[in-house]
Amino acid sequence: KSLRFSAELGHDLNMEIQRRILHQPYLFHVSSHSSRLLASLEKVDELVLGYVLRGLQFFSALVIAVALVAALLLVNAKSAGIALLLMVALYGAALLIDRARFHRLSQYLPTAQEERIRLSQENLGAIRDIILDRSQEAHLAPFREVDRQLSQARTDLFFLISAPRFLLEGIGLSL
């Protein structure tokens, strides 16, 4: 749920930035650098992925780590060694299973990021016509779709990265 929350938060913030940019008066766009506006989208991604998601993961990992330490103190060393070997084997298996998905996502993410930047640049390049035509919402639709797919792909990637840890922590708690 924390991954989905972070992805939705990032998508909502990116949509709001793009919406606000498209609804600015023409003079704003003439006096602004488009690279600064585009960089704001990347700052949102850094903020959401760098702080919100990692903060949520930190607190959940802290609770689980305390529970694991308490459980290992109650169990003898032999059981702890068996649990460690089991965890290493499961983590290795999870990495092997998810290797193809990692590869697909690593191919898709740069393409989707380029597409999002291309759409933003096209919108900014045609801002005069967009404002005169009052077609901001029509220009937001393709951006919305690409940004949602990009957010979902990032969520999938972070899930693949985090899932083995959560699986192992769950198994560790049940032992």
Short mmCIF file of all heavy atoms in Angstrom, two decimals, residues 107-161:
data_model
loop_
_atom_site.label_atom_id
_atom_site.label_comp_id
_atom_site.label_asym_id
_atom_site.label_seq_id
_atom_site.Cartn_x
_atom_site.Cartn_y
_atom_site.Cartn_z
N GLN A 107 14.01 -1.41 -19.41
CA GLN A 107 13.87 -0.97 -20.79
C GLN A 107 12.77 0.08 -20.93
O GLN A 107 12.87 1.01 -21.72
CB GLN A 107 13.57 -2.16 -21.71
CG GLN A 107 14.62 -3.22 -21.73
CD GLN A 107 15.93 -2.71 -22.28
OE1 GLN A 107 15.97 -2.04 -23.30
NE2 GLN A 107 17.02 -3.01 -21.59
N TYR A 108 11.69 -0.08 -20.18
CA TYR A 108 10.52 0.79 -20.31
C TYR A 108 10.70 2.14 -19.62
O TYR A 108 10.30 3.17 -20.17
CB TYR A 108 9.28 0.09 -19.73
CG TYR A 108 8.07 1.00 -19.72
CD1 TYR A 108 7.41 1.30 -20.89
CD2 TYR A 108 7.63 1.58 -18.54
CE1 TYR A 108 6.32 2.15 -20.90
CE2 TYR A 108 6.54 2.43 -18.54
CZ TYR A 108 5.89 2.71 -19.71
OH TYR A 108 4.83 3.56 -19.71
N LEU A 109 11.29 2.18 -18.43
CA LEU A 109 11.37 3.42 -17.66
C LEU A 109 12.04 4.57 -18.41
O LEU A 109 11.48 5.67 -18.45
CB LEU A 109 12.04 3.17 -16.31
CG LEU A 109 11.17 2.48 -15.28
CD1 LEU A 109 11.98 2.09 -14.06
CD2 LEU A 109 10.00 3.35 -14.89
N PRO A 110 13.21 4.38 -19.02
CA PRO A 110 13.81 5.51 -19.74
C PRO A 110 12.93 6.00 -20.90
O PRO A 110 12.83 7.20 -21.15
CB PRO A 110 15.14 4.96 -20.26
CG PRO A 110 15.43 3.79 -19.41
CD PRO A 110 14.11 3.23 -19.00
N THR A 111 12.29 5.07 -21.60
CA THR A 111 11.41 5.44 -22.71
C THR A 111 10.22 6.25 -22.21
O THR A 111 9.86 7.26 -22.81
CB THR A 111 10.91 4.17 -23.43
OG1 THR A 111 12.04 3.41 -23.85
CG2 THR A 111 10.06 4.50 -24.63
N ALA A 112 9.62 5.82 -21.12
CA ALA A 112 8.47 6.54 -20.56
C ALA A 112 8.88 7.91 -20.04
O ALA A 112 8.13 8.89 -20.23
CB ALA A 112 7.84 5.72 -19.44
N GLN A 113 10.04 8.02 -19.43
CA GLN A 113 10.51 9.32 -18.96
C GLN A 113 10.75 10.26 -20.13
O GLN A 113 10.39 11.45 -20.07
CB GLN A 113 11.79 9.16 -18.13
CG GLN A 113 11.54 8.55 -16.78
CD GLN A 113 12.83 8.22 -16.04
OE1 GLN A 113 13.84 7.88 -16.65
NE2 GLN A 113 12.77 8.29 -14.73
N GLU A 114 11.34 9.74 -21.20
CA GLU A 114 11.55 10.56 -22.39
C GLU A 114 10.22 11.02 -22.99
O GLU A 114 10.10 12.16 -23.43
CB GLU A 114 12.36 9.78 -23.43
CG GLU A 114 13.80 9.59 -23.06
CD GLU A 114 14.54 8.67 -24.03
OE1 GLU A 114 13.99 8.36 -25.11
OE2 GLU A 114 15.66 8.26 -23.69
N GLU A 115 9.24 10.13 -23.00
CA GLU A 115 7.92 10.47 -23.54
C GLU A 115 7.25 11.55 -22.70
O GLU A 115 6.65 12.48 -23.22
CB GLU A 115 7.04 9.22 -23.61
CG GLU A 115 5.64 9.47 -24.13
CD GLU A 115 5.59 9.88 -25.60
OE1 GLU A 115 6.62 9.81 -26.30
OE2 GLU A 115 4.50 10.27 -26.05
N ARG A 116 7.37 11.45 -21.38
CA ARG A 116 6.79 12.47 -20.50
C ARG A 116 7.46 13.82 -20.74
O ARG A 116 6.79 14.84 -20.83
CB ARG A 116 6.91 12.05 -19.04
CG ARG A 116 6.20 13.04 -18.11
CD ARG A 116 6.22 12.58 -16.70
NE ARG A 116 7.55 12.73 -16.15
CZ ARG A 116 7.84 12.63 -14.87
NH1 ARG A 116 6.89 12.33 -14.01
NH2 ARG A 116 9.06 12.79 -14.44
N ILE A 117 8.77 13.83 -20.86
CA ILE A 117 9.48 15.08 -21.13
C ILE A 117 9.11 15.62 -22.50
O ILE A 117 8.90 16.83 -22.67
CB ILE A 117 11.00 14.88 -20.99
CG1 ILE A 117 11.35 14.69 -19.50
CG2 ILE A 117 11.78 16.05 -21.57
CD1 ILE A 117 12.78 14.28 -19.25
N ARG A 118 9.00 14.72 -23.50
CA ARG A 118 8.61 15.16 -24.85
C ARG A 118 7.24 15.82 -24.83
O ARG A 118 7.05 16.89 -25.42
CB ARG A 118 8.61 13.97 -25.82
CG ARG A 118 8.32 14.38 -27.28
CD ARG A 118 8.09 13.16 -28.16
NE ARG A 118 6.90 12.40 -27.81
CZ ARG A 118 5.64 12.77 -28.10
NH1 ARG A 118 5.41 13.90 -28.75
NH2 ARG A 118 4.62 12.02 -27.75
N LEU A 119 6.28 15.22 -24.14
CA LEU A 119 4.94 15.80 -24.06
C LEU A 119 4.97 17.15 -23.35
O LEU A 119 4.30 18.10 -23.77
CB LEU A 119 3.98 14.85 -23.33
CG LEU A 119 3.57 13.61 -24.11
CD1 LEU A 119 2.85 12.63 -23.21
CD2 LEU A 119 2.70 14.00 -25.30
N SER A 120 5.74 17.25 -22.29
CA SER A 120 5.86 18.53 -21.58
C SER A 120 6.48 19.59 -22.48
O SER A 120 6.01 20.73 -22.51
CB SER A 120 6.71 18.36 -20.32
OG SER A 120 6.07 17.53 -19.41
N GLN A 121 7.52 19.21 -23.21
CA GLN A 121 8.16 20.17 -24.11
C GLN A 121 7.22 20.60 -25.23
O GLN A 121 7.18 21.77 -25.59
CB GLN A 121 9.45 19.57 -24.69
CG GLN A 121 10.56 19.49 -23.69
CD GLN A 121 11.78 18.77 -24.24
OE1 GLN A 121 11.67 17.87 -25.07
NE2 GLN A 121 12.95 19.16 -23.75
N GLU A 122 6.47 19.65 -25.78
CA GLU A 122 5.50 20.00 -26.82
C GLU A 122 4.44 20.95 -26.28
O GLU A 122 4.06 21.91 -26.96
CB GLU A 122 4.84 18.75 -27.40
CG GLU A 122 5.75 17.96 -28.31
CD GLU A 122 5.07 16.69 -28.85
OE1 GLU A 122 3.88 16.46 -28.54
OE2 GLU A 122 5.75 15.95 -29.57
N ASN A 123 3.98 20.67 -25.07
CA ASN A 123 2.98 21.55 -24.46
C ASN A 123 3.54 22.95 -24.25
O ASN A 123 2.88 23.95 -24.54
CB ASN A 123 2.48 20.98 -23.14
CG ASN A 123 1.58 19.79 -23.32
OD1 ASN A 123 1.03 19.57 -24.41
ND2 ASN A 123 1.42 19.02 -22.27
N LEU A 124 4.76 23.02 -23.76
CA LEU A 124 5.37 24.33 -23.54
C LEU A 124 5.68 25.03 -24.86
O LEU A 124 5.56 26.25 -24.96
CB LEU A 124 6.64 24.19 -22.70
CG LEU A 124 6.41 23.78 -21.24
CD1 LEU A 124 7.73 23.51 -20.56
CD2 LEU A 124 5.61 24.83 -20.50
N GLY A 125 6.07 24.26 -25.87
CA GLY A 125 6.36 24.85 -27.19
C GLY A 125 5.11 25.41 -27.86
O GLY A 125 5.19 26.37 -28.63
N ALA A 126 3.98 24.81 -27.57
CA ALA A 126 2.72 25.25 -28.18
C ALA A 126 1.84 26.00 -27.20
O ALA A 126 0.63 26.13 -27.39
CB ALA A 126 1.97 24.04 -28.72
N ILE A 127 2.45 26.54 -26.15
CA ILE A 127 1.66 27.13 -25.07
C ILE A 127 0.79 28.29 -25.55
O ILE A 127 -0.34 28.45 -25.07
CB ILE A 127 2.57 27.54 -23.88
CG1 ILE A 127 1.73 27.83 -22.65
CG2 ILE A 127 3.45 28.74 -24.24
CD1 ILE A 127 1.03 26.62 -22.11
N ARG A 128 1.27 29.06 -26.49
CA ARG A 128 0.48 30.19 -26.99
C ARG A 128 -0.83 29.69 -27.58
O ARG A 128 -1.91 30.19 -27.25
CB ARG A 128 1.28 30.97 -28.03
CG ARG A 128 0.55 32.15 -28.62
CD ARG A 128 1.44 32.88 -29.65
NE ARG A 128 0.68 33.87 -30.35
CZ ARG A 128 -0.01 33.66 -31.47
NH1 ARG A 128 -0.01 32.47 -32.02
NH2 ARG A 128 -0.68 34.63 -32.04
N ASP A 129 -0.74 28.68 -28.45
CA ASP A 129 -1.94 28.12 -29.07
C ASP A 129 -2.83 27.42 -28.04
O ASP A 129 -4.06 27.50 -28.13
CB ASP A 129 -1.56 27.13 -30.17
CG ASP A 129 -0.86 27.82 -31.34
OD1 ASP A 129 -1.14 29.02 -31.56
OD2 ASP A 129 -0.04 27.17 -32.00
N ILE A 130 -2.22 26.74 -27.10
CA ILE A 130 -2.99 26.05 -26.06
C ILE A 130 -3.81 27.05 -25.25
O ILE A 130 -4.98 26.83 -24.97
CB ILE A 130 -2.07 25.21 -25.16
CG1 ILE A 130 -1.48 24.04 -25.95
CG2 ILE A 130 -2.80 24.71 -23.92
CD1 ILE A 130 -0.39 23.28 -25.21
N ILE A 131 -3.18 28.17 -24.91
CA ILE A 131 -3.88 29.19 -24.12
C ILE A 131 -4.98 29.83 -24.95
O ILE A 131 -6.12 30.00 -24.48
CB ILE A 131 -2.88 30.24 -23.59
CG1 ILE A 131 -1.97 29.60 -22.54
CG2 ILE A 131 -3.62 31.44 -23.00
CD1 ILE A 131 -0.80 30.47 -22.12
N LEU A 132 -4.66 30.18 -26.20
CA LEU A 132 -5.67 30.82 -27.05
C LEU A 132 -6.84 29.89 -27.35
O LEU A 132 -8.00 30.34 -27.38
CB LEU A 132 -5.03 31.30 -28.36
CG LEU A 132 -4.06 32.47 -28.25
CD1 LEU A 132 -3.39 32.75 -29.59
CD2 LEU A 132 -4.77 33.72 -27.73
N ASP A 133 -6.55 28.61 -27.56
CA ASP A 133 -7.61 27.64 -27.86
C ASP A 133 -8.34 27.15 -26.61
O ASP A 133 -9.35 26.46 -26.72
CB ASP A 133 -7.03 26.40 -28.56
CG ASP A 133 -6.45 26.72 -29.91
OD1 ASP A 133 -6.74 27.80 -30.46
OD2 ASP A 133 -5.69 25.87 -30.43
N ARG A 134 -7.77 27.47 -25.46
CA ARG A 134 -8.29 26.95 -24.18
C ARG A 134 -8.37 25.43 -24.21
O ARG A 134 -9.36 24.83 -23.79
CB ARG A 134 -9.64 27.56 -23.85
CG ARG A 134 -9.60 29.06 -23.66
CD ARG A 134 -10.98 29.61 -23.36
NE ARG A 134 -10.97 31.06 -23.38
CZ ARG A 134 -10.93 31.81 -22.30
NH1 ARG A 134 -10.91 31.28 -21.12
NH2 ARG A 134 -10.94 33.13 -22.42
N SER A 135 -7.30 24.84 -24.71
CA SER A 135 -7.27 23.37 -24.87
C SER A 135 -6.34 22.71 -23.85
O SER A 135 -5.77 21.65 -24.12
CB SER A 135 -6.84 23.01 -26.29
OG SER A 135 -5.55 23.54 -26.55
N GLN A 136 -6.21 23.32 -22.67
CA GLN A 136 -5.32 22.77 -21.66
C GLN A 136 -5.68 21.34 -21.28
O GLN A 136 -4.81 20.48 -21.18
CB GLN A 136 -5.33 23.65 -20.39
CG GLN A 136 -4.66 24.99 -20.57
CD GLN A 136 -5.63 26.10 -20.92
OE1 GLN A 136 -6.72 25.86 -21.43
NE2 GLN A 136 -5.22 27.33 -20.66
N GLU A 137 -6.96 21.09 -21.08
CA GLU A 137 -7.38 19.75 -20.65
C GLU A 137 -7.10 18.70 -21.73
O GLU A 137 -6.72 17.58 -21.40
CB GLU A 137 -8.86 19.73 -20.28
CG GLU A 137 -9.19 20.57 -19.04
CD GLU A 137 -8.37 20.18 -17.82
OE1 GLU A 137 -8.24 18.97 -17.54
OE2 GLU A 137 -7.84 21.08 -17.14
N ALA A 138 -7.26 19.06 -23.00
CA ALA A 138 -6.96 18.11 -24.07
C ALA A 138 -5.47 17.78 -24.11
O ALA A 138 -5.09 16.66 -24.45
CB ALA A 138 -7.40 18.68 -25.42
N HIS A 139 -4.64 18.74 -23.75
CA HIS A 139 -3.19 18.49 -23.75
C HIS A 139 -2.74 17.79 -22.47
O HIS A 139 -1.64 17.23 -22.43
CB HIS A 139 -2.43 19.80 -23.95
CG HIS A 139 -2.49 20.29 -25.36
ND1 HIS A 139 -3.57 20.96 -25.87
CD2 HIS A 139 -1.63 20.14 -26.38
CE1 HIS A 139 -3.36 21.25 -27.14
NE2 HIS A 139 -2.18 20.75 -27.48
N LEU A 140 -3.56 17.83 -21.44
CA LEU A 140 -3.23 17.11 -20.21
C LEU A 140 -3.50 15.60 -20.34
O LEU A 140 -2.85 14.80 -19.68
CB LEU A 140 -4.04 17.64 -19.03
CG LEU A 140 -3.52 18.92 -18.39
CD1 LEU A 140 -4.51 19.42 -17.34
CD2 LEU A 140 -2.15 18.70 -17.78
N ALA A 141 -4.44 15.22 -21.18
CA ALA A 141 -4.84 13.81 -21.29
C ALA A 141 -3.67 12.89 -21.67
O ALA A 141 -3.44 11.88 -20.98
CB ALA A 141 -6.00 13.66 -22.26
N PRO A 142 -2.90 13.17 -22.72
CA PRO A 142 -1.78 12.28 -23.04
C PRO A 142 -0.71 12.27 -21.94
O PRO A 142 -0.15 11.23 -21.62
CB PRO A 142 -1.19 12.84 -24.34
CG PRO A 142 -2.19 13.78 -24.87
CD PRO A 142 -3.06 14.21 -23.74
N PHE A 143 -0.47 13.45 -21.35
CA PHE A 143 0.49 13.53 -20.25
C PHE A 143 0.02 12.68 -19.07
O PHE A 143 0.80 11.96 -18.46
CB PHE A 143 0.69 14.98 -19.82
CG PHE A 143 1.68 15.13 -18.70
CD1 PHE A 143 3.02 15.26 -18.98
CD2 PHE A 143 1.25 15.14 -17.38
CE1 PHE A 143 3.95 15.38 -17.94
CE2 PHE A 143 2.17 15.26 -16.34
CZ PHE A 143 3.51 15.39 -16.62
N ARG A 144 -1.27 12.77 -18.77
CA ARG A 144 -1.84 12.00 -17.66
C ARG A 144 -1.61 10.50 -17.87
O ARG A 144 -1.21 9.80 -16.96
CB ARG A 144 -3.35 12.29 -17.53
CG ARG A 144 -4.04 11.51 -16.42
CD ARG A 144 -5.52 11.86 -16.32
NE ARG A 144 -5.68 13.23 -15.86
CZ ARG A 144 -6.21 14.21 -16.59
NH1 ARG A 144 -6.65 13.99 -17.81
NH2 ARG A 144 -6.32 15.43 -16.10
N GLU A 145 -1.86 10.03 -19.08
CA GLU A 145 -1.71 8.60 -19.37
C GLU A 145 -0.26 8.16 -19.25
O GLU A 145 0.04 7.14 -18.61
CB GLU A 145 -2.25 8.29 -20.77
CG GLU A 145 -2.20 6.83 -21.13
CD GLU A 145 -3.02 5.95 -20.20
OE1 GLU A 145 -4.02 6.41 -19.63
OE2 GLU A 145 -2.64 4.77 -20.04
N VAL A 146 0.66 8.92 -19.82
CA VAL A 146 2.08 8.55 -19.76
C VAL A 146 2.58 8.61 -18.32
O VAL A 146 3.30 7.73 -17.86
CB VAL A 146 2.93 9.46 -20.69
CG1 VAL A 146 4.41 9.31 -20.41
CG2 VAL A 146 2.63 9.14 -22.14
N ASP A 147 2.19 9.66 -17.59
CA ASP A 147 2.65 9.80 -16.22
C ASP A 147 2.09 8.69 -15.34
O ASP A 147 2.78 8.17 -14.47
CB ASP A 147 2.27 11.17 -15.66
CG ASP A 147 2.95 11.43 -14.33
OD1 ASP A 147 4.20 11.57 -14.33
OD2 ASP A 147 2.24 11.49 -13.31
N ARG A 148 0.84 8.30 -15.56
CA ARG A 148 0.25 7.21 -14.78
C ARG A 148 1.00 5.90 -15.06
O ARG A 148 1.32 5.15 -14.14
CB ARG A 148 -1.23 7.04 -15.07
CG ARG A 148 -1.86 5.94 -14.22
CD ARG A 148 -3.34 5.96 -14.15
NE ARG A 148 -3.95 7.19 -13.74
CZ ARG A 148 -4.03 7.65 -12.48
NH1 ARG A 148 -3.50 6.95 -11.52
NH2 ARG A 148 -4.63 8.77 -12.20
N GLN A 149 1.30 5.63 -16.33
CA GLN A 149 2.04 4.40 -16.67
C GLN A 149 3.45 4.43 -16.08
O GLN A 149 3.95 3.41 -15.60
CB GLN A 149 2.09 4.22 -18.18
CG GLN A 149 0.75 3.86 -18.79
CD GLN A 149 0.80 3.84 -20.31
OE1 GLN A 149 1.82 4.12 -20.92
NE2 GLN A 149 -0.33 3.52 -20.92
N LEU A 150 4.08 5.60 -16.12
CA LEU A 150 5.42 5.74 -15.54
C LEU A 150 5.37 5.53 -14.04
O LEU A 150 6.21 4.82 -13.47
CB LEU A 150 5.99 7.13 -15.87
CG LEU A 150 7.38 7.44 -15.36
CD1 LEU A 150 8.40 6.44 -15.90
CD2 LEU A 150 7.77 8.86 -15.74
N SER A 151 4.38 6.10 -13.37
CA SER A 151 4.23 5.90 -11.93
C SER A 151 4.00 4.43 -11.61
O SER A 151 4.55 3.90 -10.65
CB SER A 151 3.07 6.73 -11.38
OG SER A 151 3.34 8.10 -11.50
N GLN A 152 3.19 3.76 -12.41
CA GLN A 152 2.92 2.34 -12.18
C GLN A 152 4.18 1.51 -12.40
O GLN A 152 4.46 0.59 -11.63
CB GLN A 152 1.81 1.84 -13.11
CG GLN A 152 1.42 0.40 -12.87
CD GLN A 152 0.92 0.16 -11.47
OE1 GLN A 152 0.05 0.88 -10.99
NE2 GLN A 152 1.45 -0.84 -10.80
N ALA A 153 4.95 1.83 -13.42
CA ALA A 153 6.19 1.09 -13.68
C ALA A 153 7.18 1.29 -12.53
O ALA A 153 7.85 0.34 -12.10
CB ALA A 153 6.82 1.54 -15.00
N ARG A 154 7.27 2.50 -12.02
CA ARG A 154 8.16 2.76 -10.87
C ARG A 154 7.67 2.00 -9.64
O ARG A 154 8.46 1.47 -8.87
CB ARG A 154 8.24 4.25 -10.59
CG ARG A 154 9.09 4.98 -11.58
CD ARG A 154 9.16 6.43 -11.24
NE ARG A 154 10.09 7.10 -12.13
CZ ARG A 154 10.06 8.38 -12.39
NH1 ARG A 154 9.16 9.16 -11.82
NH2 ARG A 154 10.94 8.92 -13.20
N THR A 155 6.35 1.97 -9.45
CA THR A 155 5.79 1.22 -8.33
C THR A 155 6.13 -0.26 -8.47
O THR A 155 6.52 -0.90 -7.50
CB THR A 155 4.26 1.42 -8.28
OG1 THR A 155 3.98 2.80 -8.11
CG2 THR A 155 3.65 0.64 -7.14
N ASP A 156 5.98 -0.79 -9.68
CA ASP A 156 6.32 -2.20 -9.92
C ASP A 156 7.79 -2.47 -9.61
O ASP A 156 8.14 -3.48 -8.99
CB ASP A 156 6.03 -2.59 -11.37
CG ASP A 156 4.54 -2.64 -11.67
OD1 ASP A 156 3.72 -2.59 -10.73
OD2 ASP A 156 4.20 -2.70 -12.87
N LEU A 157 8.66 -1.55 -10.03
CA LEU A 157 10.09 -1.72 -9.79
C LEU A 157 10.38 -1.71 -8.29
O LEU A 157 11.11 -2.58 -7.79
CB LEU A 157 10.89 -0.63 -10.49
CG LEU A 157 12.39 -0.69 -10.32
CD1 LEU A 157 12.96 -1.98 -10.91
CD2 LEU A 157 13.05 0.52 -10.94
N PHE A 158 9.82 -0.76 -7.57
CA PHE A 158 10.06 -0.71 -6.13
C PHE A 158 9.46 -1.91 -5.42
O PHE A 158 10.00 -2.40 -4.43
CB PHE A 158 9.57 0.60 -5.53
CG PHE A 158 10.54 1.72 -5.72
CD1 PHE A 158 10.36 2.64 -6.72
CD2 PHE A 158 11.67 1.83 -4.92
CE1 PHE A 158 11.26 3.66 -6.93
CE2 PHE A 158 12.58 2.84 -5.12
CZ PHE A 158 12.38 3.76 -6.12
N PHE A 159 8.34 -2.42 -5.94
CA PHE A 159 7.78 -3.64 -5.36
C PHE A 159 8.73 -4.80 -5.56
O PHE A 159 8.97 -5.58 -4.64
CB PHE A 159 6.41 -3.95 -5.98
CG PHE A 159 5.85 -5.26 -5.51
CD1 PHE A 159 5.28 -5.36 -4.25
CD2 PHE A 159 5.93 -6.39 -6.30
CE1 PHE A 159 4.79 -6.58 -3.80
CE2 PHE A 159 5.44 -7.61 -5.86
CZ PHE A 159 4.86 -7.70 -4.60
N LEU A 160 9.26 -4.93 -6.77
CA LEU A 160 10.20 -6.03 -7.04
C LEU A 160 11.44 -5.93 -6.15
O LEU A 160 11.99 -6.95 -5.73
CB LEU A 160 10.62 -6.03 -8.51
CG LEU A 160 9.56 -6.46 -9.51
CD1 LEU A 160 10.09 -6.32 -10.93
CD2 LEU A 160 9.11 -7.88 -9.25
N ILE A 161 11.86 -4.71 -5.89
CA ILE A 161 13.03 -4.52 -5.04
C ILE A 161 12.69 -4.84 -3.58
O ILE A 161 13.48 -5.46 -2.88
CB ILE A 161 13.55 -3.07 -5.17
CG1 ILE A 161 14.15 -2.87 -6.56
CG2 ILE A 161 14.57 -2.76 -4.09
CD1 ILE A 161 14.45 -1.42 -6.90
#
